[in-house]
Amino acid sequence: MSQKFEAQVIKKEKVSSKVYCVTFQLLSPPTILFTAGQNMMVMMGTGVNRTMSIASPPSLNSSVLMAHDTSPQGPGSKWTDNLKIGDTAFFVAPTGGVLSFIDSPRKKVMVATGTGVAPFRSMILDKKNYPMVLYWGLRRQEDVFWKEEFDELQQLFSNFSWRLIYSKPSENWTGDKGHVTEYVMNNEKDMENSEFYLCGNKAMVSEVSAKLLERNVPKEQIKMELFY
């Protein structure tokens, strides 16, 4: 059940060329109950409300983490740009939840672009018993964040792996490059018996979901959320 929270900014970090991670310590109520994959509606000024994924796991129930790409520089972006440690914020949560994992033994395939990776961080940290793979598409190397964390999780947990794909990397990049859609289609073999969780830009979500349906993936095994 959604409720209104008052919180205080206790950490703000610019983690990439355009993304801030902000940690809000809950003041009232002091704890939150939510399912990994759910969102919060952050009140960023008069008439300015933004739906943001909760990037922290439910086990950390006295604070929430937000990852915000402020490059659009609209009212919401400027609000986050101007946030300072100690500032008070208000939000309603939990909201949404379309991305939350289905409780089944099927493999969970997460596909993200940009800050669409935020809900998946919460989901990965919350459910370590499912077979999981994350495909994350970014444009350039300066756009990446959480790389060390995902690398560490991949080493710690045999049921989790991830791939980072750049569409416009520098010439010295020797890793995966191109579009994230290609890597999903080329590397996932048992698609009909897997579940797909898509979050990010509309073009990626539309393209991947259409290709999955073409390959006979049941539509109830495809969950998606548009970030931009």
Side-chain angles (χ1 to χ4, degrees), residues 50-223:
R50 295 290 182 268
T51 298
M52 308 296 295
S53 288
I54 301 175
S56 47
S59 57
L60 300 178
N61 65 355
S62 63
S63 64
V64 292
L65 176 66
M66 171 184 83
H68 193 180
D69 177 351
T70 63
S71 60
Q73 281 301 293
S77 299
K78 291 176 180 177
W79 180 84
T80 296
D81 279 347
N82 293 325
L83 272 183
K84 296 178 178 63
I85 303 298
D87 282 356
T88 299
F90 295 90
F91 62 87
V92 173
T95 60
V98 296
L99 288 175
S100 298
F101 281 147
I102 299 167
D103 188 11
S104 80
R106 289 186 292 261
K107 182 180 183 181
K108 318 301 183 189
V109 182
M110 296 163 281
V111 189
T113 55
T115 50
V117 76
F120 297 143
R121 179 184 183 272
S122 177
M123 293 157 69
I124 292 163
L125 291 172
D126 183 52
K127 295 288 187 183
K128 303 183 180 73
N129 55 325
Y130 297 132
M132 298 178 288
V133 60
L134 168 66
Y135 295 87
W136 187 14
L138 294 168
R139 284 185 180 152
R140 302 175 179 88
Q141 285 105 309
E142 59 264 30
D143 297 332
V144 74
F145 54 101
W146 294 340
K147 181 181 183 301
E148 293 78 10
E149 181 174 13
F150 289 141
D151 283 343
E152 184 177 347
L153 289 169
Q154 182 172 246
Q155 291 182 333
L156 286 173
F157 303 108
S158 59
N159 61 320
F160 171 68
S161 62
W162 81 294
R163 297 187 74 156
L164 176 62
I165 301 104
Y166 290 119
S167 60
K168 295 181 180 178
S170 62
E171 291 181 3
N172 61 359
W173 173 249
T174 57
D176 294 334
K177 58 185 176 181
H179 293 284
V180 68
T181 305
E182 304 162 13
Y183 282 85
V184 177
M185 295 302 143
N186 292 336
N187 288 280
E188 290 306 310
K189 305 305 180 189
D190 192 18
M191 292 188 177
E192 291 181 48
N193 293 308
S194 300
E195 295 160 11
F196 293 83
Y197 300 82
L198 320 176
C199 190
N201 68 67
K202 183 178 180 180
M204 180 279 287
V205 171
S206 299
E207 183 180 25
V208 174
S209 59
K211 288 182 178 293
L212 292 174
L213 292 171
E214 287 172 6
R215 299 197 185 197
N216 300 314
V217 176
K219 63 181 180 180
E220 60 269 20
Q221 289 168 215
I222 306 170
K223 301 180 80 174

